[in-house]
Amino acid sequence: MNPSANLFLIGPMGAGKTTLGKKLAEHYGLQFIDLDDEIERRCGVSVATVFEIEGEPGFRQRESKCLAEMCQLRGIVLATGGGSVLLPENRAMLSAHGFVLYLPVTVDQQLSRLARDRKRPLLQAPDRRERLTAMATVRTPLYEATADLRLDADSNQIIKVMETAVQQLDARWQILGQAA
């Protein structure tokens, strides 16, 4: 199976990291963790509240600390936050401690999937398209550079995305297992 102990999902908000992560964890018999949910559990408040009180820099510090702790675990599927790749040390941790699956999504797909979302602090902007486009400009090259595998699954049907993910992961892991 996976030559790495962990599977890390990266990509922008609305890519489906949490939804797919839960399905992959179930399929492979691994524990699922959502990094933002873990931060909320530890802080006792929402990510939005952390942003409100500490700003993005404070949140990013908490995120890095929590990510470092998650990277010490074995046998997990971790759905990271969209900005987890912003810090070089986070990208290094992800690469060193797991197999990194990148879920790309277009800004149009994000706008559709996040149309009713009012809780994400970075989406609270007068022009959501402009905000998402600006984030994509910075983050997409970081996702690409960090990923072990890019999952081109632009379907909104989770079953199709799941099937594609399992096929690509199994094929990649089999090749890596044979090379070892």
Side-chain angles (χ1 to χ4, degrees), residues 43 48-62:
C43 292
T49 301
V50 175
F51 263 79
E52 185 180 317
I53 295 169
E54 299 178 359
E56 187 172 357
F59 173 77
R60 296 292 171 214
Q61 286 179 339
R62 290 180 181 276

Side-chain angles (χ1 to χ4, degrees), residues 73-145:
L73 301 175
R74 295 292 173 256
I76 66 168
V77 174
L78 179 70
T80 64
S84 295
V85 297
L86 290 171
L87 299 176
E89 57 269 27
N90 289 356
R91 296 191 303 274
M93 280 189 284
L94 289 166
S95 294
H97 296 281
F99 190 88
V100 183
L101 176 61
Y102 167 39
L103 304 176
V105 64
T106 66
V107 170
D108 285 337
Q109 288 170 318
Q110 286 180 282
L111 287 168
S112 174
R113 293 176 184 180
L114 301 169
R116 294 187 200 114
D117 190 312
R118 300 288 174 244
K119 71 176 190 167
R120 297 175 197 248
L122 293 176
L123 267 186
Q124 307 312 310
D127 186 338
R128 283 180 161 205
R129 177 178 296 280
E130 181 180 301
R131 172 70 57 89
L132 292 170
T133 300
M135 287 191 300
T137 300
V138 171
R139 296 175 179 187
T140 298
L142 303 176
Y143 297 137
E144 295 281 355

Side-chain angles (χ1 to χ4, degrees), residues 32 65 119 127 135 147 151 162:
F32 174 76
K65 182 179 179 195
K119 71 176 190 167
D127 186 338
M135 287 191 300
L151 177 63
M162 175 66 180

Side-chain angles (χ1 to χ4, degrees), residues 13-91:
M13 66 177 92
K17 298 180 299 288
T18 298
T19 302
L20 183 61
K22 288 177 182 178
K23 297 280 188 193
L24 289 171
E26 182 180 330
H27 177 80
Y28 289 113
L30 302 172
Q31 177 187 2
F32 174 76
I33 301 170
D34 180 288
L35 190 60
D36 284 348
D37 288 349
E38 184 64 19
I39 293 167
E40 287 181 345
R41 186 187 69 74
R42 291 171 182 217
C43 292
V45 297
S46 69
V47 166
T49 301
V50 175
F51 263 79
E52 185 180 317
I53 295 169
E54 299 178 359
E56 187 172 357
F59 173 77
R60 296 292 171 214
Q61 286 179 339
R62 290 180 181 276
E63 181 179 58
S64 290
K65 182 179 179 195
C66 191
L67 178 61
E69 291 175 24
M70 297 299 103
C71 284
Q72 298 310 307
L73 301 175
R74 295 292 173 256
I76 66 168
V77 174
L78 179 70
T80 64
S84 295
V85 297
L86 290 171
L87 299 176
E89 57 269 27
N90 289 356
R91 296 191 303 274

